[in-house]
Amino acid sequence: MADTTKNNPTGPRHIAFIMDGNGRWAKERGLPREHGHRFGVKAFRAVLDHCATLDIDAVTFYAFSTENWKRPKREVNAILRLMDSYLAECEKKIDDYAFRIVFLGDKAPFEGARRTRMERLEAHTRTRRRILNIALNYGGRDELVHACNLLLASGKNTVTAADIEGALYTKDSPPLDLIVRTGGDLRISNFLLWQAAYAELYFTDILWPDFGPAEVDAAIAEFHQRKRRFGGV
Ligand code: IPE
Ligand code: IPE
Ligand code: MG
């Protein structure tokens, strides 16, 4: 990956967002949870557009976890429909898009037109330098199990850290610098378990539909105040 760090010497080069709080946002307004997800997509667009203007090499969004299938069918279907319309919109505007799109997670449950569209978006944007990772049916544990199975299938019986990194869904992304979680909960919820090893963590009580460019800038400003030691002194 080409080095753009001269324009952004202190990073972050890779930011990941845990987009949490859509359901509570809707509840506060007396609306069904599905409406929260609809407004969540609006916030996602605004944050992504803002990230495109910043000197960041990769941005990752946690959209649907391997555990989110436990939710009521009605809510899961609403999320999948929102995802379909977002992917259709992406496909239409694909040539204006600043990013290479990569889906993190197991695509197995996605079939037919949805699966084809995901693969087309990935293939069509493959040569772009900056990466947009969309974590869909993603779990950090699942990613590590998947990586182990890939390595076993390749015939390895001992592995190095570099082998594991090369078998993760994020293999083409730069190291993760910053995780931002909205919605007030202080946990990772099975997100980027390997990649988070030395990422800075930023938590805010703001619910995802209320999160926007100004809050991204606040998280980056806070990142610049942190002293990263990576185990050194
Ligand atoms: C995050 O918002 C979106 C997804 C997990 C798909 P939630 O739906 O988890 O909202 P809360 O946390 O219940 O408020
Ligand atoms: C994390 O949020 C998953 C996504 C944002 C997609 P959850 O709402 O699923 O996390 P928990 O259940 O509060 O840990
Ligand atoms: Mg939640």
Side-chain angles (χ1 to χ4, degrees):
M1 180 169 284
D3 186 13
T4 57
T5 48
K6 63 180 183 307
N7 299 325
N8 178 18
T10 49
R13 294 181 65 204
H14 183 179
I15 306 183
F17 295 93
I18 302 178
M19 307 186 279
D20 197 27
N22 293 348
R24 281 164 283 165
W25 185 91
K27 193 169 172 216
E28 279 177 2
R29 287 162 179 76
L31 297 168
R33 293 178 57 85
E34 292 73 28
H35 285 252
H37 297 308
R38 207 145 53 74
F39 283 87
V41 175
K42 280 193 172 185
F44 161 76
R45 277 203 200 88
V47 169
L48 177 60
D49 287 348
H50 185 59
C51 288
T53 69
L54 304 175
D55 194 8
I56 293 171
D57 293 329
V59 57
T60 299
F61 292 89
Y62 202 6
F64 194 84
S65 76
T66 45
E67 287 73 32
N68 288 148
W69 298 104
K70 290 182 206 160
R71 296 185 179 203
K73 209 171 161 58
R74 175 190 153 133
E75 180 173 346
V76 169
N77 286 339
I79 293 171
L80 294 179
R81 275 198 305 274
L82 283 168
M83 168 184 140
D84 286 339
S85 49
Y86 180 72
L87 297 184
E89 174 191 320
C90 264
E91 211 167 19
K92 270 201 216 127
K93 295 194 297 194
I94 194 67
D95 290 319
D96 309 330
Y97 235 72
F99 294 97
R100 168 179 175 186
I101 299 176
V102 178
F103 293 99
L104 309 182
D106 181 6
K107 290 194 188 75
F110 305 123
E111 297 169 335
R114 185 177 288 150
R115 172 72 171 259
T116 310
R117 187 168 269 148
M118 290 167 80
E119 288 171 350
R120 264 206 312 257
L121 284 167
E122 287 185 325
H124 192 93
T125 58
R126 182 144 306 189
T127 56
R128 297 181 192 170
R129 188 188 61 78
R130 303 170 77 197
I131 295 181
L132 162 62
N133 292 308
I134 303 179
L136 269 182
N137 189 33
Y138 173 87
R141 289 180 171 180
D142 181 66
E143 179 177 41
L144 289 168
V145 170
H146 176 258
C148 291
N149 283 321
L150 278 182
L151 294 168
L152 287 172
S154 74
K156 287 193 186 289
N157 44 33
T158 62
V159 296
T160 63
D163 290 331
I164 294 174
E165 298 227 333
L168 297 176
Y169 293 124
T170 54
K171 63 181 183 322
D172 296 321
S173 294
L176 181 60
D177 294 309
L178 173 63
I179 296 181
V180 173
R181 181 176 187 140
T182 61
D185 283 312
L186 308 181
R187 57 178 173 259
I188 293 285
S189 300
N190 201 13
F191 192 44
L192 302 176
L193 297 180
W194 174 281
Q195 300 85 337
Y198 275 104
E200 294 297 320
L201 307 178
Y202 179 91
F203 296 98
T204 168
D205 289 338
I206 296 174
L207 303 174
W208 178 258
D210 291 328
F211 191 81
E215 287 78 28
V216 175
D217 291 346
I220 292 175
E222 161 78 23
F223 173 85
H224 287 137
Q225 299 304 312
R226 304 275 178 96
K227 186 122 189 64
R228 301 180 85 191
R229 286 183 293 277
F230 299 97
V233 287

